[in-house]
Every structure is written in C-alpha cells, then in structure tokens.
C-alpha cells in the first residue's frame, strides 16, 4: 500500500542556479506539505552512503563529487500517493526526456545535474528520510 511521504533533495545545480524558491513553490503548489527541511552540504562519506545502491555504476564517482560540490536542501514531503505524485512532478531523470511543466524540464541542467531527487519507493522514502532527519526534526 502506498504511504503518504516521500523524500527529496534540491541538488547543488538548483541552488547554484538560483532556483531554490521556484522549485519549493512548485512543490508546495502541487499540494505537498513540508514535514522536515534542512539546508546543508553532504560530506563525501554521506554522499557515498546515500548513493551506495549506485556504487557499481560508472557515474558513481561523478555523482558523489557533484552532490558534495555545494549546498543542498533535504526535505520530507507529505501528500496522498506522495512517491508517485512527486516523481510525476519532477519528471524523467534526464531533463531532455522530462515532460513540459515538470521541475526537471523547467530547471535541470543535465541527466547528472538534474536539480532534484525524489525517492523511488515508499521503502526508500523512509530510509532516505531517516538518513537526513531524526524524529525531533520531523513535524
Ligand atoms: P536520482 O534519480 O536523484 O539519483 C541517482 C542519480 O544519479 C540521478 O538522480 C542522477 O543525478 C544520477 N545519474 C543517473 N544516471 C546518470 C548518468 N547516466 N550519468 C550521470 N549521472 C547519472
């Protein structure tokens, strides 16, 4: 059964390019409630651990380097059908393939610098949320 929470990160390119406010506006405007939020920068160890599932992929090193290159915003979001609805809002991994009106179509630079992360399952949403937030930081 689908749960009602997902996890997101606004990635370094979105912050660097000045899209923090615009992306948050799209997220809230689409009906997601912010349950937790943090402006932070991932250490190399944190980025490696967060993306451990991609460790064997050829882009892993580039991904870790990029995700530690500047600040990010991490957040837990709540809405009915959160995981699927959020993935629809952000669009395909590669912005060239993302639909009009999606966050990545509007604000992402490339497949690697793709502006925003969205959990791919309820299970990963819970794991990723717990990676970044303790119980006292979730409202
Ligand atoms: P995301 O889906 O949030 O999590 C995995 C990330 O790996 C993905 O976003 C991209 O930022 C990155 N990624 C996926 N495929 C590639 C690729 N072919 N080259 C570089 N980065 C990639």
């Amino acid at each position: 059964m689908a749960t009602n929470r997902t996890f997101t990160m606004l990635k370094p390119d979105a912050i660097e390019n000045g899209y923090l406010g615009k992306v948050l506006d799209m997220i809230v405007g689409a009906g997601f409630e912010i349950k937790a939020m943090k402006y932070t920068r991932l250490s190399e160890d944190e980025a490696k651990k967060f993306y451990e599932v991609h460790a064997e992929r050829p882009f892993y090193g580039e991904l870790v380097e990029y995700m530690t290159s500047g600040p990010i915003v991490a957040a837990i979001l709540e809405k009915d059908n959160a995981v699927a609805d959020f993935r629809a809002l952000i669009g395909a991994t590669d912005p060239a393939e993302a639909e009009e009106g999606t966050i990545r179509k509007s604000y992402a630079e490339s497949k690697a610098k793709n502006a925003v992360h969205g959990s791919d399952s309820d299970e990963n949403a819970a794991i990723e949320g717990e990676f970044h937030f303790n119980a006292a930081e979730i409202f």
Side-chain angles (χ1 to χ4, degrees):
M1 201 184 80
T3 58
N4 59 356
R5 286 189 182 180
T6 190
F7 171 79
T8 188
M9 286 186 288
L10 277 54
K11 300 186 181 184
D13 65 291
I15 310 295
E16 171 78 22
N17 293 330
Y19 296 139
L20 169 58
K22 289 180 187 298
V23 173
L24 284 180
D25 204 37
M26 284 181 78
I27 292 171
V28 173
F32 290 89
E33 188 182 335
I34 295 167
K35 304 301 288 183
M37 178 168 275
K38 192 175 281 184
Y39 190 38
T40 186
R41 184 173 183 164
L42 296 176
S43 68
E44 188 178 335
D45 282 351
E46 286 170 332
K48 280 182 172 168
K49 187 152 185 271
F50 187 87
Y51 286 111
E52 211 164 28
V53 52
H54 296 303
E56 302 306 318
R57 303 279 195 97
F59 58 81
Y60 182 63
E62 180 194 345
L63 176 60
V64 169
E65 192 178 328
Y66 161 60
M67 287 301 295
T68 57
S69 67
I72 59 143
V73 170
I76 295 174
L77 305 173
E78 191 166 278
K79 181 184 181 297
D80 285 348
N81 202 32
V83 166
D85 284 5
F86 193 70
R87 286 177 74 82
L89 178 67
I90 66 179
T93 303
D94 185 345
E97 293 167 14
E99 285 185 39
E100 285 299 332
T102 60
I103 291 173
R104 284 172 172 157
K105 182 72 177 182
S106 303
Y107 300 121
E109 275 185 42
S110 65
K111 194 170 188 177
K113 298 182 176 182
N114 65 356
V116 63
H117 167 81
S119 304
D120 64 4
S121 66
D122 291 332
E123 186 190 5
N124 283 335
I127 292 169
E128 292 170 0
E130 282 168 21
F131 184 91
H132 284 273
F133 298 99
N134 63 49
E137 296 172 313
I138 302 170
F139 301 97

